[in-house]
Amino acid sequence: MSDLKPRIIPFIRKPHVPHKKVLRTRYIQSELGFRERLLVVVLSSRSTLNSLGVAVNRTLSSHVSRLLFFTGARSPKVLPGMEVVSHGDERPAWLMYHTLRHLENHLLSTYDWFYVTQDDSYTNGYHLQDLVSHLSPGPAVYVGQPMEFIGGQEEWRYCHGGSGYLLSRALLLSLGPHLDFCRSDILGSRPDEWLGRCLQDTLGIACVANYQGLRYVSFALPRNVDVEAIDGAVLGSCVSVYPVRDAALTYRLQRKLSQIRLHRTYREIHRLQNEIRNLSSLTPNGEASLLWPVGINPPFSPTSRFDLLTWEYFTESHTFSCPDGAPKCPLHGVWRLDVQQVLDEALDQLNQRYHPWLRFKMHRLLNGYRRFDPTRGMEYTLDLLLEATTERDHVGVITKRLSLLRPLGLVEILPMPYVTEATRVQLVLPLMPADVSHVAGFLDAFATNLLDPQENVALTVLLVYDMGSSGQEKDVFEDVRGMVSELERRYSYLHLELSVVHTELPSQVRLMELVSKKHPMDTLFFLVSVWSEATTEVLNRCRMNAITAWQVFSPVHYQEHSPEVSRHSFSAPPPADFLRDGHFDRLSSSEFCFYNSDFMGARSRMAAEVGAQEEEDEDNGNIELLELFLRHSELHVFRALEPALVQRFSLRKCSTHLSGEGYHRCVLSTLEALGSRSHLAMALFDQDQTNST
């Protein structure tokens, strides 16, 4: 090998041949050819899709990455949350043929294993995922519950369809060229027998129950069986249970299996806690090093007084720490359910600990405190007024203080994706007459951060004239037009649009309606404000987190505090300090990133869901994009802190046309932008000192 020399192949571009743009995939997983582990295929029919099919979807879809239903019915009614493929041929063997052909044409490049089952079979999603995760997808293999052919050779076996079976990707690749032969030459009334004979005749592959040291186990369910009487060990080790004759039986099996796994988890927790207690005697501090609860992370230790985790006081009906700053607000929804669950759990724990000497009954909650510890979970301290009954039926009232912890489950760190893509981002900048003095700062930052590095961006400036500015002799946006012309002259490659809007109610939705009509459906919009400073990182995350027909992105900008308050009697921070004195403004949604097709779809749906009069009321400047996508679309609305998106401080006036909740959020956002509590306290202290002298 030492005599090998590298050979350099120069790139020679042919003249008069247009350059072809290199197509880069959106995710590195697709570019490197990574495949998902498992796809579940469910064979259904017209009569069972809306009953058994729905039950399978509800019990299995949360365990797998994708669940596909195949049916021979023509134009079946597609239910929400179900992905249905209709072939229009209800013959069972032909349904199997069309299903395999669909997998070959569309899904072979995406998945390693294909699990095929019927909607009258219950699948243990936990055990199926565990089984597939230990299998190698390399060879052509056919795994399931082997059954003998009627009149076939002795060693021939097919996998029973009710039990479900696994097909490897290599098997389907080898079977593809022979599907048409099997369709014309093999007769069969059952899809599982037809597939087994096709594999046996063309590839010589029979069904196996054991593969790579793992065994595929299924359970034949007797008629009129009592689910609670089934042995938990047998049910827990099965991949599938068949036949399931009604949807209610599917839900009972799911409940039984969940109980089995829950008890197994509790036993494992107790085993690990006992092991930790035994090992604690070998530590330097002995059993004193044990923390409560055993095996849970220790409480968060603050490094300064600014890191303290505050306790929230609550009762059974109200909390005294409200998001909007109010001193008291009622508990609703999941928060009220959370308090009720904690009280029930506290009473159950007391009765278990003091049984049979005492029985407790809840009178009321005297005091409740809770705080969220990011290293442990939600901690509770409860003062309960209880009625205690002894074994001799003596009754007394006592007060008991309890500490409880709702620990965190599986904690994952989700890194913010950072990619560079060539998708053009169309920035949309609405300007009101009051914003004219801030335009120069925005355009300077826009040119420095995005145009000088030659980012693939375009800019649309909306000049919004209200009734007061429309009748003036001098154009209030005259200076803005000059700045825009200068920007076009300096950057000739910039796609810049200047639009004029006359309206008294400049809502985000109404302004975007005017812009969206002038752009293609695949345009990626980034709505910004005149105080925003966007960078290349923001554009890349906008491109990555806005996904057509799936997700819109609402970045939470970093709001700069008032320099007069935050830097009072202090020197200004160095320019290298990217995050100035400020905070992340969770109350504002002034920036938004979305595709034009998603906006038009949500807008059309809003028009269809509300009447003409109601729609007119909605358009009265009181609806924002965040409300539009939350109320009138099924898109995922992704909000995340964005440190690369900074807003400069400026005293802003909230529009009176906003809804009550929107106006309240705007006022709170403006007040919080003045400064932190320490800055405001220092400013008040200096003012008091000045007044006293």
Side-chain angles (χ1 to χ4, degrees):
M1 300 294 290
S2 60
D3 57 343
L4 293 178
K5 296 181 180 180
R7 183 167 62 95
I8 299 176
I9 303 176
F11 172 74
I12 301 175
R13 182 174 179 179
K14 297 181 180 179
H16 310 296
V17 176
H19 176 65
K20 296 181 64 177
K21 182 180 177 181
V22 179
L23 178 64
R24 292 291 301 274
T25 56
R26 187 178 186 88
Y27 300 102
I28 190 173
Q29 180 179 8
S30 304
E31 186 168 342
L32 298 181
F34 292 164
R35 291 185 292 271
E36 296 286 345
R37 194 67 174 170
L38 176 67
L39 169 69
V40 175
V41 175
V42 182
L43 303 181
S44 186
S45 63
R46 182 193 301 272
S47 60
T48 60
L49 181 62
N50 294 336
S51 54
L52 295 176
V54 171
V56 171
N57 182 66
R58 290 181 175 176
T59 56
L60 186 58
S61 59
S62 60
H63 300 282
V64 296
S65 58
R66 192 174 182 186
L67 184 63
L68 272 178
F69 289 85
F70 288 84
T71 177
R74 298 179 182 274
S75 302
K77 182 181 179 182
V78 180
L79 301 176
M82 295 179 62
E83 194 172 356
V84 181
V85 178
S86 177
H87 298 308
D89 194 333
E90 298 187 7
R91 288 173 290 183
W94 283 50
L95 174 61
M96 175 59 73
Y97 164 80
H98 289 298
T99 299
L100 295 175
R101 185 62 77 186
H102 182 90
L103 298 179
E104 178 195 10
N105 294 336
H106 301 93
L107 299 167
L108 273 186
S109 61
T110 312
Y111 297 92
D112 285 330
W113 286 96
F114 299 86
Y115 179 73
V116 183
T117 185
Q118 299 171 180
D119 57 6
D120 62 346
S121 174
Y122 171 78
T123 302
N124 184 345
Y126 303 101
H127 196 61
L128 176 63
Q129 283 285 12
D130 184 64
L131 175 67
V132 174
S133 63
H134 290 83
L135 295 178
S136 171
V141 67
Y142 178 36
V143 183
Q145 187 70 33
M147 303 290 290
E148 295 183 1
F149 285 103
I150 299 177
Q153 299 184 19
E154 184 177 353
E155 67 277 6
W156 284 21
R157 296 289 186 274
Y158 72 93
C159 289
H160 186 255
S163 304
Y165 44 89
L166 285 165
L167 305 175
S168 67
R169 178 174 178 271
L171 178 71
L172 292 181
L173 283 173
S174 303
L175 181 62
H178 306 288
L179 282 177
D180 291 333
F181 165 78
C182 296
R183 177 185 180 183
S184 58
D185 286 25
I186 298 178
L187 301 177
S189 59
R190 291 170 51 93
D192 50 359
E193 290 187 10
W194 180 87
L195 176 60
R197 190 172 295 274
C198 177
L199 290 171
Q200 197 72 58
D201 290 348
T202 58
L203 303 178
I205 295 178
C207 177
V208 294
N210 296 283
Y211 177 63
Q212 295 182 350
L214 300 173
R215 181 172 179 79
Y216 188 97
V217 180
S218 61
F219 179 70
L221 201 63
R223 185 178 291 273
N224 299 326
V225 65
D226 183 9
V227 174
E228 299 300 327
I230 301 177
D231 187 2
V234 174
L235 185 61
S237 62
C238 290
V239 179
S240 62
V241 177
Y242 70 95
V244 178
R245 296 174 178 84
D246 60 88
L249 183 57
T250 302
Y251 300 129
R252 289 197 294 269
L253 288 170
Q254 179 75 0
R255 179 176 179 273
K256 174 70 173 180
L257 183 64
S258 299
Q259 290 177 341
I260 293 172
R261 294 188 62 86
L262 184 62
H263 294 157
R264 186 186 305 170
T265 302
Y266 283 148
R267 289 195 300 268
E268 183 67 16
I269 290 174
H270 292 321
R271 185 188 68 80
L272 292 175
Q273 288 179 335
N274 292 332
E275 187 175 340
I276 292 173
R277 291 190 183 95
N278 295 335
L279 293 176
S280 65
S281 60
L282 304 178
T283 61
N285 297 329
E287 294 186 359
S289 62
L290 284 176
L291 299 172
W292 179 87
V294 178
I296 303 296
N297 292 332
F300 171 76
S301 298
T303 57
S304 67
R305 61 189 179 93
F306 300 104
D307 296 332
L308 289 175
L309 301 177
T310 58
W311 288 89
E312 171 191 340
Y313 181 79
F314 65 92
T315 63
E316 295 184 58
S317 59
H318 289 79
T319 178
F320 292 79
S321 178
C322 306
D324 57 356
K328 179 182 178 181
C329 52
L331 290 170
H332 292 297
V334 294
W335 295 111
R336 190 179 186 91
L337 180 62
D338 173 71
V339 172
Q340 189 59 47
Q341 288 180 349
V342 169
L343 294 178
D344 293 342
E345 181 66 24
L347 190 61
D348 291 341
Q349 292 290 340
L350 283 174
N351 286 323
Q352 291 179 15
R353 174 168 296 188
Y354 293 98
H355 179 78
W357 305 285
L358 292 174
R359 299 189 308 275
F360 292 96
K361 183 179 180 181
M362 178 77 68
H363 264 200
R364 63 187 180 92
L365 172 66
L366 297 177
N367 302 295
Y369 308 89
R370 65 182 176 187
R371 72 174 183 181
F372 178 72
D373 190 329
T375 62
R376 289 159 57 87
M378 187 69 81
E379 299 178 348
Y380 302 87
T381 300
L382 307 177
D383 293 331
L384 303 178
L385 184 64
L386 303 167
E387 178 186 290
T389 305
T390 65
E391 292 182 282
R392 298 183 178 181
D393 294 333
H394 295 294
V395 180
V397 178
I398 62 173
T399 302
K400 198 78 172 175
R401 167 163 284 195
L402 302 178
S403 295
L404 294 93
L405 173 69
R406 188 192 292 270
L408 294 173
L410 179 63
V411 180
E412 298 182 59
I413 298 177
L414 300 177
M416 177 63 70
Y418 182 85
V419 296
T420 301
E421 292 186 347
T423 306
R424 173 181 291 178
V425 179
Q426 184 76 37
L427 271 71
V428 180
L429 174 65
L431 290 179
M432 300 296 293
D435 304 334
V436 172
S437 59
H438 306 284
V439 176
F442 173 85
L443 294 180
D444 289 342
F446 173 72
T448 303
N449 298 334
L450 302 179
L451 298 184
D452 289 343
Q454 296 187 354
E455 277 289 333
N456 190 10
V457 295
L459 178 63
T460 297
V461 180
L462 295 177
L463 306 180
V464 183
Y465 290 87
D466 54 18
M467 298 302 294
S469 60
S470 298
Q472 298 180 5
E473 295 182 1
K474 183 180 178 181
D475 187 2
V476 294
F477 294 112
E478 181 179 352
D479 295 338
V480 177
R481 296 177 187 271
M483 297 177 193
V484 170
S485 300
E486 177 63 20
L487 193 67
E488 284 185 303
R489 187 187 62 79
R490 289 172 53 193
Y491 302 96
S492 57
Y493 59 86
L494 174 63
H495 295 269
L496 197 149
E497 300 176 6
L498 196 64
S499 301
V500 176
V501 180
H502 294 271
T503 180
E504 192 68 20
L505 308 173
S507 69
Q508 288 182 338
V509 173
R510 173 167 291 186
L511 295 178
M512 285 308 306
E513 284 179 353
L514 302 175
V515 177
S516 63
K517 297 176 182 178
K518 303 177 182 179
H519 293 273
M521 298 297 286
D522 59 348
T523 302
L524 177 58
F525 286 122
F526 187 17
L527 180 67
V528 295
S529 67
V530 71
W531 304 282
S532 303
E533 290 187 9
T535 63
T536 301
E537 295 182 16
V538 177
L539 294 189
N540 284 331
R541 281 192 272 268
C542 175
R543 295 177 178 122
M544 192 66 184
N545 295 320
I547 305 174
T548 308
W550 181 258
Q551 180 172 281
V552 294
F553 179 46
S554 175
V556 179
H557 64 259
Y558 189 82
Q559 176 64 55
E560 183 186 22
H561 283 155
S562 171
E564 298 179 358
V565 176
S566 62
R567 302 168 195 169
H568 185 71
S569 71
F570 296 99
S571 59
D577 185 10
F578 186 72
L579 292 183
R580 307 170 180 85
D581 292 326
H583 70 290
F584 288 102
D585 191 358
R586 296 179 174 85
L587 298 173
S588 175
S589 58
S590 56
E591 291 90 3
F592 226 99
C593 193
F594 54 93
Y595 278 91
N596 191 17
S597 57
D598 294 334
F599 171 77
M600 296 297 290
R603 186 63 184 87
S604 301
R605 183 169 179 177
M606 185 182 77
E609 290 179 353
V610 299
Q613 183 62 37
E614 295 178 0
E615 181 182 356
E616 195 66 30
D617 295 340
E618 291 252 24
D619 277 344
N620 286 337
N622 61 356
I623 184 169
E624 297 181 348
L625 287 172
L626 182 61
E627 299 175 68
L628 173 70
F629 288 117
L630 287 175
R631 296 180 183 177
H632 306 289
S633 77
E634 296 182 356
L635 300 171
H636 296 77
V637 180
F638 179 43
R639 280 181 61 81
L641 304 182
E642 182 49 75
L645 181 61
V646 180
Q647 274 202 13
R648 292 184 177 273
F649 172 79
S650 177
L651 289 175
R652 307 164 197 177
K653 183 179 179 181
C654 295
S655 174
T656 56
H657 299 293
L658 292 171
S659 61
E661 182 180 353
Y663 183 80
H664 187 58
R665 288 199 310 267
C666 179
V667 172
L668 288 178
S669 174
T670 304
L671 294 177
E672 290 184 358
L674 292 175
S676 63
R677 293 186 177 183
S678 59
H679 293 151
L680 295 174
M682 183 63 69
L684 289 174
F685 177 77
D686 292 344
Q687 184 179 3
D688 291 341
Q689 292 294 321
T690 303
N691 295 335
S692 63
T693 58

